[in-house]
Amino acid sequence: MQLIYFADPMCSWCWGFSPVFEELSALVSGRARVRYVMGGLRAGSTQPMDEAQKRYIAGHWQHVHERTGQPFNHAFFDRDDFVYDTEPACRAVVTVRGLRPDLQGAMLKALHRAFYMENLDLTDAEVLAGAAGSLEIDRASFLDAFEMEATHDATQIDFAITQQTGIQGFPTVLLGRPGAPFEVVTSGYCDRAQAKSRALAILEQFSA
């Protein structure tokens, strides 16, 4: 079976959901393989954020914090001319998938922390390489793979899978077996109890 996580490193609700997904992954360990699909929340954005967008996002972050307890560094909003393009961060996770598939989840978590807690620029390849380096992935190897055409293509495939699956928002988690319809664990944020209860029910359904 597969537990498929549709996420984006620069999605605040995914950051809020991060502790829940860690527990969910542990719950299905040995019964389902975890698969990560990068969603491309704002992939390809080219316009710098204006003040209205900053206020909107700041309010959104506050709501996520109140709901989930996850911390946010609001110094982010002191930036000028920041382009909220999530493609490079998504591609960084895809790059790690190619180099060390077992570290995809750790890379996603590292990027969440870098963006939301440390106020680092995830559109900067050197920052992304630093996150990979914290996982003991060679920086030069990461940067070489990050710029490869095959990595760009693989990232676009993730975005296409997200669209073709009909994902409406992040985080979304599906659980099931290839060849059969996948069941929804959550579409959007849910708490630990809800996520675990739903995942266990689906596992029981497939083992019946």
Side-chain angles (χ1 to χ4, degrees):
M1 294 187 67
Q2 292 184 4
L3 183 75
I4 307 179
Y5 185 23
F6 293 86
D8 191 294
M10 297 168 72
C11 162
S12 56
W13 280 114
C14 295
W15 167 233
F17 188 67
S18 182
V20 178
F21 190 73
E22 282 191 38
E23 293 190 18
L24 195 57
S25 299
L27 180 71
V28 304
S29 179
R31 302 180 67 180
R33 179 174 67 87
V34 178
R35 177 183 172 193
Y36 295 88
V37 180
M38 295 299 100
L41 177 65
R42 295 171 181 260
S45 294
T46 58
Q47 295 298 314
M49 292 191 306
D50 59 23
E51 291 305 314
Q53 289 172 315
K54 288 182 181 182
R55 287 193 298 271
Y56 173 78
I57 294 171
H60 200 64
W61 285 15
Q62 184 61 31
H63 181 50
V64 176
H65 169 68
E66 291 170 356
R67 178 81 186 277
T68 71
Q70 289 286 81
F72 288 83
N73 185 342
H74 285 260
F76 167 78
F77 298 104
D78 296 333
R79 290 176 183 269
D80 292 322
D81 301 322
F82 181 74
V83 177
Y84 206 119
D85 177 12
T86 70
E87 190 277 342
C90 288
R91 182 160 32 109
V93 177
V94 174
T95 302
V96 170
R97 180 190 303 160
L99 295 171
R100 285 287 306 274
D102 58 310
L103 292 178
Q104 289 177 82
M107 184 61 169
L108 178 61
K109 182 178 180 179
L111 294 179
H112 281 322
R113 293 181 61 87
F115 187 60
Y116 289 109
M117 293 182 65
E118 300 169 21
N119 189 28
L120 297 180
D121 182 356
L122 296 195
T123 68
D124 185 327
E126 290 294 336
V127 170
L128 299 172
S134 72
L135 304 177
E136 300 186 351
I137 295 173
D138 180 71
R139 288 177 65 102
S141 298
F142 174 87
L143 287 169
D144 285 346
F146 180 73
E147 297 296 350
M148 289 174 58
E149 183 177 354
T151 308
H152 282 269
D153 291 346
T155 306
Q156 293 301 317
I157 289 172
D158 267 30
F159 299 163
I161 291 170
T162 300
Q163 294 174 355
Q164 292 166 4
T165 307
I167 302 302
Q168 298 298 311
F170 311 110
T172 291
V173 181
L174 307 181
L175 178 59
R177 184 177 292 118
F182 276 71
E183 300 290 337
V184 177
V185 176
T186 186
S187 178
Y189 177 82
C190 72
D191 62 25
R192 291 172 171 81
Q194 291 174 305
K196 290 182 175 181
S197 175
R198 180 62 178 151
L200 286 172
I202 296 169
L203 288 170
E204 290 174 6
Q205 172 186 326
F206 275 87
S207 63

